[in-house]
Amino acid sequence: MTTPHEDSSGGTARLEGLLPSRLVVIEDRLRVLYAQRMADHQDALGPASYTPLPETPERQGWQIAQYDDEDPLVHLAHEFELSSMEVDLLVCAVLPELNTMCGAAYRMLTGASSRPTVALALELLGVPAADGISQGLLRVTSALFAGGLLAFENPELTCPERVLRVPDRILDYLLGERKGTAAYIYGPHLQELSRGAGPADPAALAALRACLADGSGGAMRRGAVYVQEGSSGLALPAACAALGEVGRTPLVSNPEELEYAPDDFADTVVREARLLRAAVVVPVFSEPDAPEAAVLRRLIKALTRAQLPTVLYGSDAWDSQAWGATPTAFVDLTRVAAAAHLSLPGQRLCTTAVPALDRARRHGVVHARALTPDEAQRISRDCALRDLGRLARRIQPGVQWDDLVLPPPVRERLQTLTYRIRHRQRVLDAWRLRRGGGRGRGATALFAGESGTGKTMAAEAIAAELDVDLYIVNLTTVMSKYIGETEKNLERVFSAAESLGDVLLFDEADSMFAKRGAVRDANDRFANLQSAYLLQRLESFDGLAILTTNLRSNMDGAFTRRFDEVIEFRSPGADVRARLWRTLLGEHADVYDIEHLAARFDLAGGSIRAAVETAAFAAAMENRDVSMKDLLKGVEVEYGKLGRLFNDT
């Protein structure tokens, strides 16, 4: 059955299905009611007494089941569980939107609006207003209003006087204007990814496919599923592929825009998913106290309450308390990512870059392109550099291996440390020497010794040997008085260094790993928790981490036993001091009494370097070469710094 309705160009268009068939019936009843009013000379505000309209064969005999489920109005009836009476109430509200003559008739009958009031709509259906209201047909909790299919223009009035309005989105849907669109953007907050999300990892797809099955012969599990993906990015393409297999269009929320989403955003998403037979995919990378977290929390609660097919995904384990909802099932793709070798050095992505990577993946999907591994690495590197730049000082190594003047045993231990990084793939993978216990693929070392004995210089030489940068982290800048903030800062540092493959140097580590005493108050307990976290993260680190201390005796022995290498940097003997003087003075060293300087003055390497610099600047100021007197003056300055008496006799 078809009926014409006016289109935007002033012509007519044809509709087919349940909607036009019911429009004809409601329009006929409106015509009869209008004729009765005019014949009885009743006031436009309403009849003096209620006279029900006669039932028609169309009203008595129609059933929703007579029509194809692909019909938009039939789908609304089934999805929102509408009765035939509620369907006709919806049609009453749609009628003036399609036919201006019917709108004029409504205005004459109500005396105010070209849309029907509650009383008029019920009268058109042959139901007394009192009966319709008592049955709950048009209450705000009814299926029509709770589902967002109808709205009141003036909810402050009494129920019979309220005017019914069909939201534009529902009108568009009923007129079929939504059909056939390949990709549709619902503002900046919600995106339909009907093109897919690029190739899905087979193992990830299989895991998600198994979780989405409801186990009772149905196509898909109702309710929310949470996918923990780490930093791999496996969840989005796997979710879109799995949903496509069961005929569900993925609607993906945009976390970057949630802060500015309207108040009814959660209800709108639920309604949209029900209209399109879609599933909602929600990235959950926000902190629970972030600006957009309140909207995200309402969205997750609304989807969980509606029991809609929903895929939530993020990098961390699910926190039911923070988000106020508990998914019906969980999928852990972090092991799948490890099996796919996505976490090997050179491929590992910075965890703090996960939101940026997810944003790039979603943007690529909307524009029918997948994020390439090179692009992902670039984004991850940019985020890692930013994170490390905030919490650590970057050093591009300028010290080579031959520049180190150290005793042979110390040099040997430093070389062993580089071998642990260079040959870890062979030892841990090819030779299958598994560490277990959550240990990472990296190495940790403690450099202990007085200031100026070459600890930082040795770390710089190791970084140069490995062809990476060195980042010096001062633990006092990372530690925070706020609970949990220190751990977050440390995680940013370690994750960024793992992504870049750089060497981390933690200066003055004894401030964190001091000997533990009795726990007297909350501060002691807090400090112990921070130390435990740092030790745990060091053990799971996939790169090279070096800690330095000037006072090894102050460190807890339980901590030092956990390092792969503990290297003592002692104050150099006379022979090593002589080599240091010669190295620093270069080709002109033979003109000075090096043996006297080395034997007479007990200085560490850093002090010797400072003494040579002082002498060089003094000579440069007078535009002459460095003299022995200048060197002795430099030594005197260093002795003064150390609080020692200088005597060259």
Side-chain angles (χ1 to χ4, degrees):
M1 180 181 296
T2 63
T3 186
H5 74 90
E6 296 176 355
D7 62 17
S8 58
S9 63
T12 60
R14 307 291 293 183
L15 293 176
E16 298 182 356
L18 177 58
L19 177 60
S21 68
R22 299 315 301 164
L23 283 172
V24 169
V25 173
I26 301 302
E27 187 175 342
D28 287 344
R29 295 175 69 80
L30 177 60
R31 188 178 295 108
V32 172
L33 180 61
Y34 184 83
Q36 285 181 358
R37 297 286 181 84
M38 295 302 100
D40 296 339
H41 304 285
Q42 294 295 328
D43 186 84
L45 293 177
S49 61
Y50 173 72
T51 303
L53 294 176
E55 285 287 353
T56 64
E58 293 86 352
R59 174 71 189 136
Q60 292 174 336
W62 86 276
Q63 297 291 331
I64 297 175
Q66 295 175 260
Y67 296 87
D68 186 1
D69 189 52
E70 293 299 319
D71 183 284
L73 185 54
V74 175
H75 171 66
L76 291 187
H78 288 164
E79 178 65 33
F80 293 86
E81 299 180 352
L82 304 179
S83 65
S84 59
M85 182 72 71
E86 288 172 319
V87 170
D88 278 349
L89 284 170
L90 179 59
V91 173
C92 287
V94 170
L95 183 58
E97 307 292 343
L98 305 181
N99 190 316
T100 56
M101 294 299 294
C102 293
Y106 279 157
R107 184 180 295 277
M108 290 293 294
L109 293 172
T110 62
S113 175
S114 58
R115 292 188 172 111
T117 61
V118 169
L120 179 57
L122 291 173
E123 188 174 1
L124 283 173
L125 302 186
V127 179
D131 293 347
I133 294 172
S134 65
Q135 294 173 21
L137 291 174
L138 290 171
R139 290 178 182 170
V140 292
T141 56
S142 68
L144 287 170
F145 286 89
L149 305 181
L150 278 182
F152 288 128
E153 280 192 352
N154 44 3
E156 72 281 358
L157 298 181
T158 60
C159 189
E161 297 176 302
R162 294 174 185 171
V163 175
L164 301 176
R165 178 179 61 83
V166 181
D168 292 343
R169 179 68 188 97
I170 300 301
L171 187 61
D172 290 343
Y173 179 82
L174 290 173
L175 297 182
E177 295 180 13
R178 170 65 184 82
K179 292 185 177 181
T181 304
Y184 192 87
I185 307 299
Y186 305 95
H189 317 296
L190 190 68
Q191 299 172 332
E192 178 188 335
L193 303 185
S194 57
R195 302 182 187 182
D201 178 80
L205 177 58
L208 198 57
R209 185 190 292 128
C211 185
L212 291 176
D214 65 3
S216 60
M220 185 177 178
R221 178 193 299 270
R222 307 291 292 185
V225 171
Y226 180 69
V227 183
Q228 183 180 355
E229 64 168 359
S231 60
S232 64
L234 297 178
L236 181 62
C240 290
L243 294 172
E245 290 178 353
V246 294
R248 292 278 183 173
T249 298
L251 296 177
V252 182
S253 67
N254 187 353
E256 293 77 34
E257 295 290 340
L258 288 185
E259 182 181 357
Y260 311 102
D263 294 338
D264 61 347
F265 174 68
D267 294 334
T268 301
V269 173
V270 171
R271 184 186 68 185
E272 200 65 33
R274 299 178 75 177
L275 289 179
L276 302 180
R277 298 182 177 89
V280 184
V281 181
V282 183
V284 186
F285 297 109
S286 300
E287 294 291 338
D289 55 352
E292 71 279 3
V295 180
L296 182 58
R297 193 176 294 109
R298 288 198 299 270
L299 175 60
I300 294 173
K301 287 182 178 180
L303 292 169
T304 305
R305 190 183 307 114
Q307 286 294 290
L308 286 175
T310 303
V311 177
L312 312 170
Y313 71 92
S315 56
D316 300 323
W318 181 257
D319 189 342
S320 297
Q321 183 175 2
W323 299 113
T326 302
T328 59
F330 298 87
V331 180
D332 187 355
L333 295 185
T334 55
R335 297 181 180 179
V336 175
H341 303 291
L342 293 174
S343 60
L344 291 178
Q347 292 180 301
R348 186 158 191 160
L349 301 178
C350 178
T351 55
T352 58
V354 172
L357 289 167
D358 181 68
R359 179 169 59 251
R361 290 189 184 98
R362 285 183 282 107
H363 182 270
V365 168
V366 171
H367 294 85
R369 61 180 298 272
L371 185 69
T372 66
D374 289 343
E375 291 172 329
Q377 286 291 339
R378 178 182 57 78
I379 294 173
S380 176
R381 182 175 180 81
D382 290 344
C383 292
L385 288 172
R386 184 176 64 249
D387 288 340
L388 276 177
R390 293 172 179 169
L391 299 169
R393 178 165 56 92
R394 180 187 181 188
I395 295 179
Q396 291 180 302
V399 177
Q400 301 301 317
W401 203 250
D402 293 338
D403 295 332
L404 293 179
V405 180
L406 294 169
V410 176
R411 293 178 65 93
E412 181 181 347
R413 301 315 304 165
L414 294 176
Q415 289 175 338
T416 301
L417 198 55
T418 63
Y419 296 156
R420 284 181 175 272
I421 300 300
R422 280 183 171 173
H423 303 297
R424 56 185 164 178
Q425 188 169 358
R426 182 182 184 186
V427 173
L428 299 180
D429 293 339
W431 293 357
R432 303 180 65 82
L433 188 61
R434 306 296 185 186
R435 291 179 168 180
R439 295 290 300 274
R441 299 167 53 85
T444 57
L446 176 67
F447 290 178
E450 296 179 0
S451 178
T453 52
K455 301 186 295 297
T456 302
M457 195 172 178
E460 188 175 346
I462 290 175
E465 184 73 8
L466 296 174
D467 195 24
V468 296
D469 289 338
L470 173 69
Y471 279 89
I472 299 181
V473 184
N474 192 327
L475 285 172
T476 58
T477 65
V478 175
M479 296 173 65
S480 172
K481 64 180 180 180
Y482 299 105
I483 296 177
E485 196 64 28
T486 299
E487 289 80 355
K488 289 181 181 179
N489 289 337
L490 288 171
E491 178 57 34
R492 292 188 184 99
V493 169
F494 280 110
S495 175
E498 284 173 335
S499 175
L500 297 171
D502 291 335
V503 176
L504 287 179
L505 176 66
F506 291 89
D507 199 15
E508 299 181 6
D510 45 291
S511 63
M512 179 72 80
F513 287 144
K515 289 183 177 179
R516 292 169 291 183
V519 177
R520 299 183 179 87
D521 53 27
N523 291 331
D524 293 338
R525 188 179 299 107
F526 183 37
N528 288 344
L529 289 174
Q530 290 178 334
S531 300
Y533 179 82
L534 178 56
L535 183 62
Q536 176 187 357
R537 196 60 182 85
L538 283 169
E539 290 185 335
S540 63
F541 186 45
D542 280 345
L544 174 58
I546 300 172
L547 285 77
T548 68
T549 178
N550 298 338
L551 298 169
R552 182 184 173 183
S553 59
N554 286 352
M555 296 190 66
D556 195 317
F559 292 144
T560 58
R561 287 193 296 270
R562 309 288 281 274
F563 295 110
D564 296 309
E565 294 284 349
V566 177
I567 303 176
E568 290 280 355
F569 287 75
R570 302 184 184 279
S571 184
D575 57 335
V576 176
R577 291 197 296 270
R579 289 165 53 197
L580 284 169
W581 281 107
R582 288 192 176 90
T583 299
L584 292 169
L585 291 170
E587 59 184 9
H588 302 294
D590 292 339
V591 303
Y592 308 106
D593 190 353
I594 298 299
E595 300 302 327
H596 173 71
L597 292 171
R600 183 71 182 82
F601 304 111
D602 184 10
L603 293 173
S607 296
I608 294 175
R609 175 183 293 275
V612 172
E613 287 183 356
T614 299
F617 279 112
M621 184 174 60
E622 298 180 3
N623 196 22
R624 58 177 175 78
D625 294 335
V626 176
S627 66
M628 187 67 179
K629 183 178 180 181
D630 294 326
L631 294 177
L632 291 174
K633 183 62 176 178
V635 172
E636 183 179 1
V637 170
E638 293 306 308
Y639 263 54
K641 292 180 185 178
L642 298 172
R644 294 157 61 180
L645 180 64
F646 176 77
N647 186 0
D648 190 28
T649 59

